[in-house]
Amino acid sequence: MKNLILIIVMMAVVTYLPRLIPMVMLKDLKLPLFLKTFLNMIPFAVLGALIFPGILFSTGCCGSALFGGLIAVILAYFNLNIILVVFGGISGVMFYKMLF
Amino acid sequence: MDAEKTEKRFSFICGLKAGIPVAIGYLPIAISFGLLSISNGIPDYLTVFMSFIVFAGASQFAAVNLFMVGASPLEIILTTFILNFRHFLMSSSISQRIEQGTSKKVMGLLAFGVTDESFAVASIRKEKEIKPQFFAGLILVSYSAWVLGTAMGAFMFAGIPDIIINSMGIALYAMFIGLIVPSLRKSKPVFTVCLLAAFINTLLYYLNFLSTGWNVIISTVIAAGFGTALYSKEDGK
């Protein structure tokens, strides 16, 4: 058990440090324009990578995930409140699962 | 002085509200994590402890699975590091958006809460400068849901019908979709970069020679780099 506690603490350390270093070191540096642009593009790239292909395996089956995802895209396309998008997605998945 | 305090409180409350969809997404996943961890032989209090100090979903799932198959401590810690390293990129990106003049101490505290979701929500905000109070509120709500959900899963261990847990699996993805689709509509560079990253990541996934941690980093760097090279002439944001 002591071993496990140590592992968990080390997990926390290796997780926190990569989050910490940029936050305390990069802020004051004068970054060149291309780097600033690059950092600005990161959210859009990361979101793309985080959604695909992960979403396909999020509900245990591809079809329900695609259907729920599609509902979410449609709701988001019409600029609906994000909570509606989330519940729409969940409902879409449940709906599909109950039918198929 | 009073106006400043009110503004800070307002930002904090905005952050709390912005964290609600994240919290909703986190709950089923945290509960699942709690359940999984217990079933893999990890004591309930250590399960909650892990969510409390690591606060990184994917790596926690990986770690408890590795633990069950008897992986060495080094393997578990290294896998955690690799899976979470993308937060370095996210931290770098968001560090530029946090309000000028925020103290290093505050930045250090906020750093703990840099996750895929808090990063996504904060980055998409229209304000040029993100108030630290906003980010703090966002992190507080999502973090609470994460720890509470874990505790629920670990200590309640069963009772929630599978179909509900599975259906809620899409919650975070639906949230990511909700965050990015409006931006995709508005800007071609954004759409291109996002699509490219999704494509590369999917390709890397099926090629299957690296862990998801590396895949996300590589796709992000390539797609963002491509976007920078192509669209540097226009104003970035």
Side-chain angles (χ1 to χ4, degrees):
Chain A
M1 255 346 100
K2 277 287 142 71
N3 209 6
L4 189 50
I5 295 180
L6 221 70
I7 294 176
I8 296 176
V9 169
M10 282 311 296
M11 281 174 66
V13 171
V14 301
T15 302
Y16 184 53
L17 284 177
R19 291 171 172 172
L20 176 70
I21 292 171
M23 288 285 270
V24 296
M25 290 185 54
L26 275 189
K27 184 112 193 87
D28 294 332
L29 293 178
K30 272 233 146 93
L31 300 177
L33 181 64
F34 80 89
L35 200 54
K36 281 199 196 161
T37 310
F38 177 75
L39 291 179
N40 272 337
M41 295 270 180
I42 284 184
F44 308 113
V46 147
L47 278 169
L50 286 176
I51 296 177
F52 267 94
I55 192 173
L56 299 175
F57 317 116
S58 64
T59 64
C61 117
C62 258
S64 61
L66 277 173
F67 185 73
L70 193 63
I71 302 286
V73 169
I74 294 172
L75 296 176
Y77 187 81
F78 291 111
N79 285 319
L80 290 181
N81 185 292
I82 198 166
I83 296 194
L84 286 177
V85 175
V86 172
F87 278 119
I90 295 175
S91 309
V93 173
M94 287 189 79
F95 180 76
Y96 185 96
K97 276 184 186 282
M98 290 195 286
L99 280 185
F100 298 103
Chain B
M1 257 307 123
D2 232 9
E4 208 184 296
K5 268 208 155 143
T6 314
E7 208 193 336
K8 288 186 182 177
R9 189 172 306 152
F10 178 73
S11 298
F12 182 69
I13 295 181
C14 273
L16 293 179
K17 285 199 214 159
I20 293 176
V22 180
I24 295 175
Y26 275 177
L27 269 178
I29 300 182
I31 295 174
S32 308
F33 170 71
L35 293 170
L36 178 72
S37 182
I38 298 289
S39 62
N40 282 0
I42 296 178
D44 45 29
Y45 67 98
L46 284 185
T47 300
V48 178
F49 182 59
M50 195 187 295
S51 284
F52 187 72
I53 64 168
V54 178
F55 190 27
S59 60
Q60 290 179 227
F61 275 96
V64 302
N65 278 322
L66 284 174
F67 175 77
M68 188 173 85
V69 301
S72 68
L74 186 63
E75 261 187 276
I76 298 178
I77 294 167
L78 199 62
T79 305
T80 304
F81 175 71
I82 291 173
L83 275 176
N84 292 334
F85 191 71
R86 67 182 182 282
H87 294 146
F88 180 82
L89 287 174
M90 295 176 187
S91 228
S92 303
S93 175
I94 202 77
S95 68
Q96 304 303 299
R97 294 276 302 276
I98 310 264
E99 190 179 40
Q100 286 289 352
T102 306
S103 73
K104 289 225 179 338
K105 192 164 79 167
V106 170
M107 293 294 272
L109 284 172
L110 293 176
F112 176 74
V114 173
T115 62
D116 299 346
E117 298 75 22
S118 66
F119 170 73
V121 171
S123 299
I124 293 280
R125 297 294 289 190
K126 299 199 187 79
E127 304 93 83
K128 266 214 136 172
E129 283 204 325
I130 309 281
K131 286 223 168 274
Q133 294 80 17
F134 173 83
F135 203 41
L138 169 63
I139 292 171
L140 188 67
V141 165
S142 47
Y143 178 60
S144 307
W146 182 249
V147 176
L148 272 164
T150 304
M152 281 168 69
F155 291 102
M156 285 180 5
F157 195 33
I160 304 173
D162 270 343
I163 188 176
I164 296 195
I165 292 277
N166 283 337
S167 303
M168 292 192 81
I170 204 162
L172 280 178
Y173 293 101
M175 191 195 73
F176 288 146
I177 290 173
L179 286 173
I180 198 152
V181 165
S183 300
L184 295 180
R185 286 187 64 178
K186 278 187 257 171
S187 155
K188 190 165 142 207
V190 167
F191 183 78
T192 312
V193 168
C194 184
L195 202 69
L196 184 63
F199 177 74
I200 298 176
N201 196 47
T202 306
L203 191 69
L204 289 174
Y205 175 83
Y206 282 110
L207 287 178
N208 199 26
F209 63 89
L210 288 172
S211 69
T212 42
W214 282 118
N215 291 348
V216 173
I217 294 170
I218 292 173
S219 351
T220 299
V221 170
I222 294 178
F226 183 77
T228 305
L230 225 64
Y231 301 110
S232 227
K233 301 294 154 64
E234 298 170 29
D235 192 18
K237 234 204 180 150

